Amino acid sequence: MAELRFPDGFLWGTATASYQVEGAVREDGRGESIWDRFSHTPGKTFEGQTGDVACDHYHRYPEDVEHMARMGMNAYRFSVAWPRIFPEGKGPVNQKGLDFYRRLVDALQGRHIQPCLTLYHWDLPQALQEKGGWDNRDTGRYFAEYAHTLYQALGDRVPLWITLNEPWVAAILGHAFGQHAPGFGDFPLAMRVVHHLLLAHGWAVEAFRHDGPRRAQIGITLNLSPVEPATGKEADGQAADLADRFTNRLFLDPIFRGAYPELPDLMRSALPQATPEEMERISTPVDFLGVNYYTRQVVEADPQGLYGVGMVPARGDLTEMGWEVYPQGLYDLLIRVHREYHPQAVYVTENGAAFADEIQDGEVDDPRRIAYVREHLSRAHAAIGAGVPLKGYFYWSLMDNFEWAFGYSKRFGLLYVVPGSLERVWKRSARWYAQVAQANAVPL
Ligand SMILES: N=[N+]=NCCCCNC(=O)[C@@H]1[C@H]2[C@H](O)[C@@H](O)[C@H](O)[C@@H](CO)[C@@H]12
């Protein structure tokens, strides 16, 4: 049978995030996060849904690890909830919080599943938000201390470390558009947050290099999306270039080139004046780049748009999020990042889709998700063939979970989570993905 074989040792995993799956938000000394505060604020999330219980992964993680093992996964990407380790963001360590992640890592190692640990997936301790949050540079220092604590506690058992998940979303959706926690609509604030998140990343990498685990590797995960002009018109091309600078290059350039991309004056002037040593810190070399890919952006010149850029509504094969299914974008993106930024290694740290999954007689037949993953894996395979040092793929997500402002209304999981009982039910895509992982090959 025709198949696409992946390199030996390729990582096959799934990804989750603490606030989206754990629940147990008051258990074992966990402090409040900005997402606890935001989700409990009326009008912020779908039907006021919160992560209070989520998938109850905090208690059910042994079962979830068992599902991963039965799927033949050799890796798992999860995030640590900062407020479990430091309920107030800094100060004395909450040992019970640390113990949960020690138990999780033990369970993963017991099933030969490599942990990939994300230090920050948006659940900032609320106590730090009350001191200015990411608008306060000190938060980046506390982040480095938090990172250092985890390096010491888990370093020799976690091979892959990610400092930040999607800093663009945390900065822009959280501080300019107000759609995510902490819910501000202040563009200059958002641009200060961009810079402070990058400084936090740099301090955490420096701490890792200084006395982190020797054999482990550290990187950052960015949401990257190819930007295409709606037409061949000059104005549309310029709009696409600006959108690319504001979304993709805003983080790629500082991290891999040590300088921000050229930006329109208004945007540029909102960024704090960065000193050479700050840009040096931000571009402390990383061992890998994590790429979260979901879809492409098509833009056009639009005088009414933000900075004259208009997003062209996605058409064609759309997911429940309204995102265009565009597998070619993964290939284009991986090739571009490889050729222009030369990361030592690349992981697809998230790729996946929400579809209108329905459970019938205990079965969930999700052919569109199987097609989505097969098409994106075929482009990932082609990118490897073109020389991209792609070392692994983490499907988003292991299970249906709290999809931020959409609550539980969007199902991305390979495992269907039954409302109420929270029972996990394998979707057909889970069985399909298990075959891929076990064969280290995609059937065509
Ligand atoms: N304007 N605008 N658009 C912003 C585009 C960002 C798209 N959303 C993501 O990348 C998030 C990423 C997140 O890590 C995970 O926690 C989320 O559950 C998934 C699924 O949504 C994806």
Side-chain angles (χ1 to χ4, degrees), residues 176-252:
F177 298 169
Q179 294 160 337
H180 278 198
F184 293 113
D186 174 340
F187 194 82
L189 162 64
M191 295 307 277
R192 294 195 300 272
V193 168
V194 166
H195 190 59
H196 296 161
L197 281 169
L198 280 167
L199 282 174
H201 161 76
W203 273 314
V205 177
E206 284 178 339
F208 190 87
R209 298 295 180 225
H210 187 257
D211 59 3
R214 287 283 154 265
R215 288 185 313 283
Q217 301 203 307
I218 192 162
I220 186 170
T221 278
L222 303 178
N223 55 292
L224 299 174
S225 197
V227 186
E228 298 180 18
T231 72
K233 280 190 319 212
E234 169 74 14
D236 288 353
Q238 286 170 353
D241 177 62
L242 175 52
D244 181 50
R245 290 168 187 272
F246 178 55
T247 51
N248 302 316
R249 295 187 55 191
L250 187 61
F251 287 90
L252 284 168

Side-chain angles (χ1 to χ4, degrees), residues 371-394:
Y372 181 99
V373 181
R374 184 181 54 240
E375 292 311 306
H376 284 81
L377 286 177
S378 75
R379 298 321 192 284
H381 186 270
I384 294 170
V388 177
L390 182 65
K391 306 296 180 191
Y393 174 92
F394 294 83

